[in-house]
Amino acid sequence: MTNRITILGSTGSIGVSTLDVVRQLGEDYAVDALTGNGNIELLARQAREAGARLAVTADDARYQDLKDALSGSGIAVASGRSGLTEAAEGPSNWVMAAIVGTAGLAPTLAAAKRGAHIALANKECLVSAGDLFIRAVADGGGRLLPVDSEHNAIFQVLEEGQRHALERIILTASGGPFRTWTREAMANVTAATARAHPNWSMGLKISIDSASMFNKALEMIEARHLFNVRPDQIEVIVHPQSIVHSMVGYSDGSVLAQMGCPDMRTAIGYALSYPSRPRLDVQRLDFTKLSRLDFEAPDEERFPALRLARRAMEAGGLQGAVLNAAKEVALDAFIEGRIGFLDMFEIVETVMDRMVDTPPAASMDDVFAADARARADAAALLARRAA
Ligand code: NDP
């Protein structure tokens, strides 16, 4: 059977890689719907090339631009939240969740509820909605396949039959561009410096999140929900070469690792082809050219995001949603040059302190409410600083 796939966020880094993988998978996959936000030219080109049924821009103001760009193609066009929902609820049996940030939560949830298989790049779904999201996938009857390279690596080496022997999950982190910098030097960096990731080519926001290690913080929470492990079973180790994508440790002392060149197409291809392995045209690891593999403990003084993630995991409930929402507001402020790099940590921690008594989420409405409150709180903190 040919699979049909909808790509939420097709114009982003993961979206572009997914379309390449889909092309490589040949007749096994056909594209159903594609969504983007501001990059209308690329979205229209992708939709024509892939023969999509539907193209959606999340930005209502760009609807006419997309309509014009696709005129005569026969491809349906939609926009805004309703357009994203229409794409997510369409007839495809697969959905790649690759919208950046919390904006990806509602459409991915809609896809999960109707039983689509979800290839999950958007970690915010699990960080904010955690068990509620996992339950929505289970109730819908689809599968959840992790695309984040670390989680995909763990998924590849976690032997479900050996769950009882699972001791720990070891997430690797490149350490980002400031791995060896002092705190004083980090205080003055700009978004342009922070986005320069040493190994991976990624979107702007995740690149800066990698530099601050907020990305690893989100991944810790993501791992907790995906693999149903306790917070104390999740370790982070800095591995600057990004060759070992993550590891699983067992009760006999064995550690299983997944390795490869840093290229998201391997993780995407594995997710979409599971349980088979596809043939992919990606660079092969040449061990004779690897001079060394280094590992070092992360410095939680310079990178307090890791400590905040532990705190959110231990508190449970809505603390993940609070951490993520406050982080998104602080990140935007840093990108716009309104605050310094280290200020992001302080803003997130202050908002978490203020919302420490938030009750556990009973429904998605609670998640969206906590998200909105944390954003408002973070925005108020920023306004006070600017005054
Ligand atoms: P990009 O910034 O490259 O792309 C984001 C995508 O989301 C684009 O298609 C963009 O549209 C769209 N988008 C932006 N804002 C909105 C909005 N408000 N509503 C709807 N769509 C929107 O991000 P990445 O591809 O790097 O990352 C996507 C997700 O995958 C993130 O959650 C990230 O954490 C995760 N991830 C990414 C990895 C990577 O290697 N890049 C690795 C692992 C996880 P447009 O460009 O048209 O404006």
Side-chain angles (χ1 to χ4, degrees):
M1 184 196 93
T2 301
N3 290 289
R4 290 193 72 78
I5 184 166
T6 285
I7 306 174
L8 302 172
S10 66
T11 49
S13 166
I14 291 286
V16 167
S17 294
T18 303
L19 278 165
D20 184 62
V21 169
V22 165
R23 268 190 297 272
Q24 292 196 44
L25 295 179
E27 55 194 24
D28 287 349
Y29 271 85
V31 167
D32 184 59
L34 298 178
T35 84
N37 190 41
N39 198 342
I40 301 299
E41 194 191 325
L42 177 59
L43 178 59
R45 188 162 14 103
Q46 289 177 332
R48 283 180 190 270
E49 280 172 11
R53 176 187 63 83
L54 171 68
V56 177
T57 165
D59 185 353
D60 281 319
R62 304 299 304 276
Y63 172 80
Q64 197 54 47
D65 294 340
L66 184 59
K67 187 103 183 133
D68 292 346
L70 286 172
S71 76
S73 66
I75 298 168
V77 172
S79 71
R81 277 189 191 189
S82 59
L84 292 178
T85 308
E86 185 183 340
E89 290 183 341
S92 64
N93 59 331
W94 275 95
V95 169
M96 165 58 76
I99 290 175
V100 63
T102 315
L105 180 50
T108 309
L109 194 67
K113 281 184 176 164
R114 74 171 170 86
H117 300 316
I118 310 288
L120 189 73
N122 176 289
K123 58 198 88 188
E124 293 85 355
C125 285
L126 284 171
V127 173
S128 296
D131 297 338
L132 288 174
F133 183 76
I134 297 279
R135 212 175 309 146
V137 176
D139 291 349
R143 282 202 305 258
L144 182 61
L145 285 308
V147 167
D148 219 345
S149 62
E150 295 78 0
H151 305 74
N152 188 271
I154 294 161
F155 182 63
Q156 292 195 34
V157 295
L158 179 59
E159 302 168 311
E160 276 304 329
Q162 300 296 329
R163 269 262 161 193
H164 58 283
L166 171 73
E167 271 187 355
R168 57 189 176 139
I169 275 174
I170 307 160
L171 295 172
T172 52
S174 71
F178 308 135
R179 180 173 64 88
T180 57
W181 289 38
T182 62
R183 220 181 126 76
E184 291 66 39
M186 285 162 68
N188 297 315
V189 301
T190 61
T193 323
R195 75 170 302 178
H197 196 279
N199 307 327
W200 295 93
S201 160
M202 307 183 288
L204 171 69
K205 291 187 178 182
I206 185 177
S207 297
I208 298 176
D209 280 350
S210 295
S212 64
M213 293 193 85
F214 265 121
N215 182 49
K216 208 52 55 185
L218 302 186
E219 287 177 5
M220 291 164 76
I221 305 174
E222 180 184 14
R224 167 158 170 65
H225 293 293
L226 261 178
F227 304 114
N228 193 20
V229 288
R230 298 186 311 272
D232 63 282
Q233 289 178 293
I234 301 171
E235 296 176 12
V236 172
I237 187 94
V238 173
H239 166 47
Q241 293 87 1
S242 301
I243 296 295
V244 176
H245 296 147
S246 276
M247 300 174 267
V248 174
Y250 292 98
S251 57
D252 61 354
S254 297
V255 175
L256 302 195
Q258 187 265 349
M259 292 187 260
C261 294
D263 185 331
M264 286 306 296
R265 291 175 301 175
T266 298
I268 294 167
Y270 187 81
L272 295 182
S273 307
Y274 181 80
S276 325
R277 283 188 188 271
R279 188 183 153 69
L280 289 178
D281 181 15
V282 295
Q283 196 187 338
R284 297 326 193 229
L285 202 52
D286 181 347
F287 282 91
T288 62
K289 295 210 171 97
L290 280 180
S291 55
R292 52 195 281 179
L293 294 178
D294 296 301
F295 299 94
E296 59 196 51
D299 179 349
E300 297 198 9
E301 285 300 315
R302 285 185 303 126
F303 297 100
L306 302 179
R307 176 172 55 75
L308 296 178
R310 287 202 190 287
R311 188 180 142 178
M313 286 192 292
E314 272 147 26
L318 286 159
Q319 280 285 301
V322 171
L323 182 156
N324 181 59
K327 188 278 295 176
E328 288 192 10
V329 173
L331 175 61
D332 284 342
F334 171 67
I335 291 171
E336 289 158 18
R338 288 186 281 131
I339 58 170
F341 188 72
L342 300 178
D343 297 333
M344 291 193 286
F345 303 119
E346 194 187 313
I347 285 166
V348 174
E349 185 156 29
T350 307
V351 175
M352 287 175 75
D353 285 345
R354 289 185 182 180
M355 293 183 64
V356 76
D357 292 328
T358 315
S363 69
M364 286 306 297
D365 286 346
D366 293 340
V367 174
F368 290 121
D371 178 277
R373 209 184 121 199
R375 276 171 205 278
D377 221 14
L381 278 174
L382 287 170
R384 211 161 311 139
R385 279 167 165 262

PDB file of all heavy atoms in Angstrom, residues 12-47:
ATOM      1  N   GLY A  12      10.341  24.106   6.800  1.00  0.00           N
ATOM      2  CA  GLY A  12      11.438  24.209   7.762  1.00  0.00           C
ATOM      3  C   GLY A  12      12.536  23.198   7.476  1.00  0.00           C
ATOM      4  O   GLY A  12      12.472  22.430   6.497  1.00  0.00           O
ATOM      5  N   SER A  13      13.510  23.189   8.357  1.00  0.00           N
ATOM      6  CA  SER A  13      14.664  22.300   8.197  1.00  0.00           C
ATOM      7  C   SER A  13      14.230  20.826   8.179  1.00  0.00           C
ATOM      8  O   SER A  13      14.618  20.056   7.285  1.00  0.00           O
ATOM      9  CB  SER A  13      15.621  22.598   9.352  1.00  0.00           C
ATOM     10  OG  SER A  13      16.579  21.631   9.475  1.00  0.00           O
ATOM     11  N   ILE A  14      13.415  20.425   9.146  1.00  0.00           N
ATOM     12  CA  ILE A  14      12.938  19.035   9.187  1.00  0.00           C
ATOM     13  C   ILE A  14      12.005  18.757   8.005  1.00  0.00           C
ATOM     14  O   ILE A  14      12.056  17.686   7.376  1.00  0.00           O
ATOM     15  CB  ILE A  14      12.191  18.763  10.512  1.00  0.00           C
ATOM     16  CG1 ILE A  14      13.167  18.786  11.685  1.00  0.00           C
ATOM     17  CG2 ILE A  14      11.430  17.442  10.465  1.00  0.00           C
ATOM     18  CD1 ILE A  14      14.065  17.590  11.813  1.00  0.00           C
ATOM     19  N   GLY A  15      11.159  19.736   7.676  1.00  0.00           N
ATOM     20  CA  GLY A  15      10.218  19.559   6.567  1.00  0.00           C
ATOM     21  C   GLY A  15      10.939  19.296   5.252  1.00  0.00           C
ATOM     22  O   GLY A  15      10.590  18.380   4.496  1.00  0.00           O
ATOM     23  N   VAL A  16      11.970  20.081   4.989  1.00  0.00           N
ATOM     24  CA  VAL A  16      12.735  19.930   3.737  1.00  0.00           C
ATOM     25  C   VAL A  16      13.417  18.551   3.713  1.00  0.00           C
ATOM     26  O   VAL A  16      13.405  17.847   2.700  1.00  0.00           O
ATOM     27  CB  VAL A  16      13.756  21.085   3.591  1.00  0.00           C
ATOM     28  CG1 VAL A  16      14.768  20.803   2.499  1.00  0.00           C
ATOM     29  CG2 VAL A  16      13.015  22.400   3.328  1.00  0.00           C
ATOM     30  N   SER A  17      13.987  18.158   4.853  1.00  0.00           N
ATOM     31  CA  SER A  17      14.631  16.830   4.925  1.00  0.00           C
ATOM     32  C   SER A  17      13.601  15.718   4.744  1.00  0.00           C
ATOM     33  O   SER A  17      13.877  14.693   4.119  1.00  0.00           O
ATOM     34  CB  SER A  17      15.332  16.646   6.268  1.00  0.00           C
ATOM     35  OG  SER A  17      16.405  17.528   6.381  1.00  0.00           O
ATOM     36  N   THR A  18      12.393  15.924   5.285  1.00  0.00           N
ATOM     37  CA  THR A  18      11.353  14.896   5.158  1.00  0.00           C
ATOM     38  C   THR A  18      10.961  14.725   3.686  1.00  0.00           C
ATOM     39  O   THR A  18      10.799  13.595   3.211  1.00  0.00           O
ATOM     40  CB  THR A  18      10.106  15.280   5.989  1.00  0.00           C
ATOM     41  OG1 THR A  18      10.511  15.466   7.342  1.00  0.00           O
ATOM     42  CG2 THR A  18       9.041  14.196   5.924  1.00  0.00           C
ATOM     43  N   LEU A  19      10.821  15.845   2.988  1.00  0.00           N
ATOM     44  CA  LEU A  19      10.458  15.731   1.567  1.00  0.00           C
ATOM     45  C   LEU A  19      11.547  14.995   0.787  1.00  0.00           C
ATOM     46  O   LEU A  19      11.255  14.210  -0.115  1.00  0.00           O
ATOM     47  CB  LEU A  19      10.205  17.124   0.973  1.00  0.00           C
ATOM     48  CG  LEU A  19       8.797  17.654   1.273  1.00  0.00           C
ATOM     49  CD1 LEU A  19       8.702  19.151   0.987  1.00  0.00           C
ATOM     50  CD2 LEU A  19       7.740  16.898   0.460  1.00  0.00           C
ATOM     51  N   ASP A  20      12.792  15.224   1.158  1.00  0.00           N
ATOM     52  CA  ASP A  20      13.885  14.512   0.496  1.00  0.00           C
ATOM     53  C   ASP A  20      13.790  13.005   0.781  1.00  0.00           C
ATOM     54  O   ASP A  20      13.938  12.176  -0.121  1.00  0.00           O
ATOM     55  CB  ASP A  20      15.240  15.059   0.951  1.00  0.00           C
ATOM     56  CG  ASP A  20      16.376  14.399   0.197  1.00  0.00           C
ATOM     57  OD1 ASP A  20      16.417  14.544  -1.032  1.00  0.00           O
ATOM     58  OD2 ASP A  20      17.173  13.686   0.830  1.00  0.00           O
ATOM     59  N   VAL A  21      13.515  12.662   2.045  1.00  0.00           N
ATOM     60  CA  VAL A  21      13.386  11.238   2.400  1.00  0.00           C
ATOM     61  C   VAL A  21      12.198  10.613   1.656  1.00  0.00           C
ATOM     62  O   VAL A  21      12.301   9.508   1.113  1.00  0.00           O
ATOM     63  CB  VAL A  21      13.232  11.062   3.930  1.00  0.00           C
ATOM     64  CG1 VAL A  21      12.826   9.641   4.289  1.00  0.00           C
ATOM     65  CG2 VAL A  21      14.522  11.435   4.638  1.00  0.00           C
ATOM     66  N   VAL A  22      11.090  11.333   1.616  1.00  0.00           N
ATOM     67  CA  VAL A  22       9.895  10.820   0.926  1.00  0.00           C
ATOM     68  C   VAL A  22      10.224  10.545  -0.551  1.00  0.00           C
ATOM     69  O   VAL A  22       9.842   9.513  -1.100  1.00  0.00           O
ATOM     70  CB  VAL A  22       8.708  11.818   1.090  1.00  0.00           C
ATOM     71  CG1 VAL A  22       7.592  11.521   0.106  1.00  0.00           C
ATOM     72  CG2 VAL A  22       8.194  11.775   2.528  1.00  0.00           C
ATOM     73  N   ARG A  23      10.977  11.454  -1.157  1.00  0.00           N
ATOM     74  CA  ARG A  23      11.406  11.229  -2.554  1.00  0.00           C
ATOM     75  C   ARG A  23      12.245   9.959  -2.633  1.00  0.00           C
ATOM     76  O   ARG A  23      12.072   9.128  -3.522  1.00  0.00           O
ATOM     77  CB  ARG A  23      12.246  12.411  -3.054  1.00  0.00           C
ATOM     78  CG  ARG A  23      11.442  13.491  -3.754  1.00  0.00           C
ATOM     79  CD  ARG A  23      12.366  14.508  -4.430  1.00  0.00           C
ATOM     80  NE  ARG A  23      13.205  15.234  -3.477  1.00  0.00           N
ATOM     81  CZ  ARG A  23      12.824  16.357  -2.860  1.00  0.00           C
ATOM     82  NH1 ARG A  23      11.664  16.896  -3.117  1.00  0.00           N
ATOM     83  NH2 ARG A  23      13.631  16.960  -2.008  1.00  0.00           N
ATOM     84  N   GLN A  24      13.143   9.777  -1.648  1.00  0.00           N
ATOM     85  CA  GLN A  24      14.024   8.607  -1.674  1.00  0.00           C
ATOM     86  C   GLN A  24      13.254   7.309  -1.413  1.00  0.00           C
ATOM     87  O   GLN A  24      13.662   6.245  -1.877  1.00  0.00           O
ATOM     88  CB  GLN A  24      15.138   8.752  -0.636  1.00  0.00           C
ATOM     89  CG  GLN A  24      16.127   9.866  -0.961  1.00  0.00           C
ATOM     90  CD  GLN A  24      17.409   9.719  -0.153  1.00  0.00           C
ATOM     91  OE1 GLN A  24      17.951   8.624  -0.023  1.00  0.00           O
ATOM     92  NE2 GLN A  24      17.912  10.807   0.378  1.00  0.00           N
ATOM     93  N   LEU A  25      12.162   7.400  -0.668  1.00  0.00           N
ATOM     94  CA  LEU A  25      11.385   6.187  -0.380  1.00  0.00           C
ATOM     95  C   LEU A  25      10.564   5.752  -1.597  1.00  0.00           C
ATOM     96  O   LEU A  25       9.969   4.672  -1.596  1.00  0.00           O
ATOM     97  CB  LEU A  25      10.479   6.401   0.844  1.00  0.00           C
ATOM     98  CG  LEU A  25      11.209   6.624   2.178  1.00  0.00           C
ATOM     99  CD1 LEU A  25      10.218   6.854   3.316  1.00  0.00           C
ATOM    100  CD2 LEU A  25      12.121   5.449   2.532  1.00  0.00           C
ATOM    101  N   GLY A  26      10.508   6.613  -2.599  1.00  0.00           N
ATOM    102  CA  GLY A  26       9.893   6.236  -3.880  1.00  0.00           C
ATOM    103  C   GLY A  26       8.401   6.044  -3.785  1.00  0.00           C
ATOM    104  O   GLY A  26       7.711   6.801  -3.098  1.00  0.00           O
ATOM    105  N   GLU A  27       7.925   4.953  -4.423  1.00  0.00           N
ATOM    106  CA  GLU A  27       6.472   4.823  -4.544  1.00  0.00           C
ATOM    107  C   GLU A  27       5.786   4.400  -3.245  1.00  0.00           C
ATOM    108  O   GLU A  27       4.558   4.359  -3.186  1.00  0.00           O
ATOM    109  CB  GLU A  27       6.111   3.870  -5.673  1.00  0.00           C
ATOM    110  CG  GLU A  27       6.754   2.515  -5.526  1.00  0.00           C
ATOM    111  CD  GLU A  27       6.664   1.714  -6.816  1.00  0.00           C
ATOM    112  OE1 GLU A  27       6.531   2.323  -7.896  1.00  0.00           O
ATOM    113  OE2 GLU A  27       6.723   0.481  -6.728  1.00  0.00           O
ATOM    114  N   ASP A  28       6.556   4.127  -2.202  1.00  0.00           N
ATOM    115  CA  ASP A  28       5.935   3.764  -0.916  1.00  0.00           C
ATOM    116  C   ASP A  28       5.213   4.945  -0.277  1.00  0.00           C
ATOM    117  O   ASP A  28       4.338   4.768   0.567  1.00  0.00           O
ATOM    118  CB  ASP A  28       7.000   3.279   0.081  1.00  0.00           C
ATOM    119  CG  ASP A  28       7.505   1.903  -0.295  1.00  0.00           C
ATOM    120  OD1 ASP A  28       6.891   1.285  -1.174  1.00  0.00           O
ATOM    121  OD2 ASP A  28       8.526   1.482   0.286  1.00  0.00           O
ATOM    122  N   TYR A  29       5.631   6.163  -0.615  1.00  0.00           N
ATOM    123  CA  TYR A  29       5.052   7.352   0.018  1.00  0.00           C
ATOM    124  C   TYR A  29       4.580   8.378  -1.005  1.00  0.00           C
ATOM    125  O   TYR A  29       5.282   8.642  -1.978  1.00  0.00           O
ATOM    126  CB  TYR A  29       6.077   8.043   0.928  1.00  0.00           C
ATOM    127  CG  TYR A  29       6.039   7.492   2.326  1.00  0.00           C
ATOM    128  CD1 TYR A  29       6.757   6.357   2.664  1.00  0.00           C
ATOM    129  CD2 TYR A  29       5.240   8.084   3.287  1.00  0.00           C
ATOM    130  CE1 TYR A  29       6.691   5.835   3.947  1.00  0.00           C
ATOM    131  CE2 TYR A  29       5.168   7.561   4.571  1.00  0.00           C
ATOM    132  CZ  TYR A  29       5.890   6.446   4.892  1.00  0.00           C
ATOM    133  OH  TYR A  29       5.808   5.929   6.150  1.00  0.00           O
ATOM    134  N   ALA A  30       3.405   8.961  -0.754  1.00  0.00           N
ATOM    135  CA  ALA A  30       2.930  10.089  -1.553  1.00  0.00           C
ATOM    136  C   ALA A  30       2.546  11.205  -0.594  1.00  0.00           C
ATOM    137  O   ALA A  30       2.137  10.948   0.543  1.00  0.00           O
ATOM    138  CB  ALA A  30       1.723   9.666  -2.379  1.00  0.00           C
ATOM    139  N   VAL A  31       2.686  12.443  -1.040  1.00  0.00           N
ATOM    140  CA  VAL A  31       2.387  13.586  -0.171  1.00  0.00           C
ATOM    141  C   VAL A  31       0.912  13.931  -0.256  1.00  0.00           C
ATOM    142  O   VAL A  31       0.341  13.995  -1.344  1.00  0.00           O
ATOM    143  CB  VAL A  31       3.250  14.800  -0.585  1.00  0.00           C
ATOM    144  CG1 VAL A  31       2.750  16.079   0.081  1.00  0.00           C
ATOM    145  CG2 VAL A  31       4.709  14.548  -0.222  1.00  0.00           C
ATOM    146  N   ASP A  32       0.292  14.158   0.889  1.00  0.00           N
ATOM    147  CA  ASP A  32      -1.102  14.597   0.899  1.00  0.00           C
ATOM    148  C   ASP A  32      -1.154  16.117   1.084  1.00  0.00           C
ATOM    149  O   ASP A  32      -1.457  16.840   0.157  1.00  0.00           O
ATOM    150  CB  ASP A  32      -1.894  13.887   2.005  1.00  0.00           C
ATOM    151  CG  ASP A  32      -3.359  14.280   1.957  1.00  0.00           C
ATOM    152  OD1 ASP A  32      -3.993  14.048   0.905  1.00  0.00           O
ATOM    153  OD2 ASP A  32      -3.864  14.864   2.934  1.00  0.00           O
ATOM    154  N   ALA A  33      -0.822  16.609   2.282  1.00  0.00           N
ATOM    155  CA  ALA A  33      -0.880  18.051   2.529  1.00  0.00           C
ATOM    156  C   ALA A  33       0.458  18.560   3.041  1.00  0.00           C
ATOM    157  O   ALA A  33       1.208  17.818   3.681  1.00  0.00           O
ATOM    158  CB  ALA A  33      -1.979  18.357   3.553  1.00  0.00           C
ATOM    159  N   LEU A  34       0.750  19.829   2.744  1.00  0.00           N
ATOM    160  CA  LEU A  34       1.963  20.488   3.223  1.00  0.00           C
ATOM    161  C   LEU A  34       1.562  21.787   3.898  1.00  0.00           C
ATOM    162  O   LEU A  34       0.659  22.480   3.417  1.00  0.00           O
ATOM    163  CB  LEU A  34       2.908  20.805   2.056  1.00  0.00           C
ATOM    164  CG  LEU A  34       3.443  19.620   1.247  1.00  0.00           C
ATOM    165  CD1 LEU A  34       4.319  20.133   0.095  1.00  0.00           C
ATOM    166  CD2 LEU A  34       4.250  18.665   2.128  1.00  0.00           C
ATOM    167  N   THR A  35       2.239  22.122   5.009  1.00  0.00           N
ATOM    168  CA  THR A  35       1.947  23.405   5.652  1.00  0.00           C
ATOM    169  C   THR A  35       3.232  24.174   5.919  1.00  0.00           C
ATOM    170  O   THR A  35       4.281  23.595   6.163  1.00  0.00           O
ATOM    171  CB  THR A  35       1.192  23.250   6.999  1.00  0.00           C
ATOM    172  OG1 THR A  35       2.141  23.007   8.061  1.00  0.00           O
ATOM    173  CG2 THR A  35       0.158  22.129   6.970  1.00  0.00           C
ATOM    174  N   GLY A  36       3.109  25.501   5.857  1.00  0.00           N
ATOM    175  CA  GLY A  36       4.217  26.397   6.177  1.00  0.00           C
ATOM    176  C   GLY A  36       3.661  27.617   6.873  1.00  0.00           C
ATOM    177  O   GLY A  36       2.490  27.628   7.272  1.00  0.00           O
ATOM    178  N   ASN A  37       4.476  28.639   6.965  1.00  0.00           N
ATOM    179  CA  ASN A  37       3.986  29.871   7.600  1.00  0.00           C
ATOM    180  C   ASN A  37       4.297  31.049   6.683  1.00  0.00           C
ATOM    181  O   ASN A  37       3.429  31.462   5.916  1.00  0.00           O
ATOM    182  CB  ASN A  37       4.635  30.035   8.979  1.00  0.00           C
ATOM    183  CG  ASN A  37       4.019  31.142   9.790  1.00  0.00           C
ATOM    184  OD1 ASN A  37       2.797  31.298   9.783  1.00  0.00           O
ATOM    185  ND2 ASN A  37       4.840  31.928  10.464  1.00  0.00           N
ATOM    186  N   GLY A  38       5.550  31.545   6.734  1.00  0.00           N
ATOM    187  CA  GLY A  38       5.874  32.746   5.965  1.00  0.00           C
ATOM    188  C   GLY A  38       6.533  32.490   4.621  1.00  0.00           C
ATOM    189  O   GLY A  38       6.526  33.355   3.742  1.00  0.00           O
ATOM    190  N   ASN A  39       7.116  31.314   4.449  1.00  0.00           N
ATOM    191  CA  ASN A  39       7.876  31.057   3.220  1.00  0.00           C
ATOM    192  C   ASN A  39       6.960  30.489   2.119  1.00  0.00           C
ATOM    193  O   ASN A  39       6.974  29.306   1.801  1.00  0.00           O
ATOM    194  CB  ASN A  39       9.020  30.073   3.535  1.00  0.00           C
ATOM    195  CG  ASN A  39      10.081  30.094   2.454  1.00  0.00           C
ATOM    196  OD1 ASN A  39       9.842  30.553   1.341  1.00  0.00           O
ATOM    197  ND2 ASN A  39      11.260  29.576   2.778  1.00  0.00           N
ATOM    198  N   ILE A  40       6.186  31.417   1.534  1.00  0.00           N
ATOM    199  CA  ILE A  40       5.151  31.026   0.573  1.00  0.00           C
ATOM    200  C   ILE A  40       5.766  30.468  -0.711  1.00  0.00           C
ATOM    201  O   ILE A  40       5.280  29.485  -1.279  1.00  0.00           O
ATOM    202  CB  ILE A  40       4.256  32.247   0.236  1.00  0.00           C
ATOM    203  CG1 ILE A  40       3.610  32.787   1.518  1.00  0.00           C
ATOM    204  CG2 ILE A  40       3.206  31.906  -0.816  1.00  0.00           C
ATOM    205  CD1 ILE A  40       2.708  31.825   2.244  1.00  0.00           C
ATOM    206  N   GLU A  41       6.851  31.096  -1.145  1.00  0.00           N
ATOM    207  CA  GLU A  41       7.462  30.664  -2.407  1.00  0.00           C
ATOM    208  C   GLU A  41       7.908  29.202  -2.315  1.00  0.00           C
ATOM    209  O   GLU A  41       7.614  28.390  -3.204  1.00  0.00           O
ATOM    210  CB  GLU A  41       8.659  31.578  -2.690  1.00  0.00           C
ATOM    211  CG  GLU A  41       9.176  31.462  -4.097  1.00  0.00           C
ATOM    212  CD  GLU A  41      10.519  32.164  -4.254  1.00  0.00           C
ATOM    213  OE1 GLU A  41      10.730  33.206  -3.598  1.00  0.00           O
ATOM    214  OE2 GLU A  41      11.362  31.641  -5.014  1.00  0.00           O
ATOM    215  N   LEU A  42       8.576  28.870  -1.211  1.00  0.00           N
ATOM    216  CA  LEU A  42       9.044  27.485  -1.045  1.00  0.00           C
ATOM    217  C   LEU A  42       7.864  26.526  -0.887  1.00  0.00           C
ATOM    218  O   LEU A  42       7.842  25.444  -1.489  1.00  0.00           O
ATOM    219  CB  LEU A  42       9.968  27.379   0.180  1.00  0.00           C
ATOM    220  CG  LEU A  42      10.482  25.971   0.509  1.00  0.00           C
ATOM    221  CD1 LEU A  42      11.270  25.377  -0.666  1.00  0.00           C
ATOM    222  CD2 LEU A  42      11.349  25.980   1.765  1.00  0.00           C
ATOM    223  N   LEU A  43       6.869  26.942  -0.123  1.00  0.00           N
ATOM    224  CA  LEU A  43       5.705  26.074   0.099  1.00  0.00           C
ATOM    225  C   LEU A  43       5.017  25.753  -1.232  1.00  0.00           C
ATOM    226  O   LEU A  43       4.679  24.586  -1.504  1.00  0.00           O
ATOM    227  CB  LEU A  43       4.728  26.768   1.068  1.00  0.00           C
ATOM    228  CG  LEU A  43       3.425  26.046   1.385  1.00  0.00           C
ATOM    229  CD1 LEU A  43       3.684  24.669   1.993  1.00  0.00           C
ATOM    230  CD2 LEU A  43       2.567  26.883   2.352  1.00  0.00           C
ATOM    231  N   ALA A  44       4.837  26.777  -2.057  1.00  0.00           N
ATOM    232  CA  ALA A  44       4.164  26.566  -3.350  1.00  0.00           C
ATOM    233  C   ALA A  44       5.002  25.644  -4.236  1.00  0.00           C
ATOM    234  O   ALA A  44       4.480  24.726  -4.885  1.00  0.00           O
ATOM    235  CB  ALA A  44       3.928  27.906  -4.040  1.00  0.00           C
ATOM    236  N   ARG A  45       6.309  25.863  -4.223  1.00  0.00           N
ATOM    237  CA  ARG A  45       7.190  25.009  -5.048  1.00  0.00           C
ATOM    238  C   ARG A  45       7.134  23.563  -4.575  1.00  0.00           C
ATOM    239  O   ARG A  45       6.994  22.628  -5.362  1.00  0.00           O
ATOM    240  CB  ARG A  45       8.619  25.556  -4.995  1.00  0.00           C
ATOM    241  CG  ARG A  45       9.553  24.867  -5.960  1.00  0.00           C
ATOM    242  CD  ARG A  45      10.836  25.634  -6.263  1.00  0.00           C
ATOM    243  NE  ARG A  45      11.151  26.730  -5.392  1.00  0.00           N
ATOM    244  CZ  ARG A  45      12.069  26.707  -4.429  1.00  0.00           C
ATOM    245  NH1 ARG A  45      12.750  25.607  -4.189  1.00  0.00           N
ATOM    246  NH2 ARG A  45      12.317  27.779  -3.699  1.00  0.00           N
ATOM    247  N   GLN A  46       7.207  23.391  -3.254  1.00  0.00           N
ATOM    248  CA  GLN A  46       7.141  22.020  -2.700  1.00  0.00           C
ATOM    249  C   GLN A  46       5.822  21.348  -3.087  1.00  0.00           C
ATOM    250  O   GLN A  46       5.800  20.169  -3.469  1.00  0.00           O
ATOM    251  CB  GLN A  46       7.228  22.074  -1.171  1.00  0.00           C
ATOM    252  CG  GLN A  46       8.584  22.459  -0.616  1.00  0.00           C
ATOM    253  CD  GLN A  46       8.569  22.561   0.910  1.00  0.00           C
ATOM    254  OE1 GLN A  46       7.528  22.852   1.510  1.00  0.00           O
ATOM    255  NE2 GLN A  46       9.721  22.352   1.526  1.00  0.00           N
ATOM    256  N   ALA A  47       4.719  22.097  -2.958  1.00  0.00           N
ATOM    257  CA  ALA A  47       3.395  21.509  -3.218  1.00  0.00           C
ATOM    258  C   ALA A  47       3.277  21.081  -4.679  1.00  0.00           C
ATOM    259  O   ALA A  47       2.755  19.994  -4.993  1.00  0.00           O
ATOM    260  CB  ALA A  47       2.302  22.517  -2.859  1.00  0.00           C
TER     261      ALA A  47
END
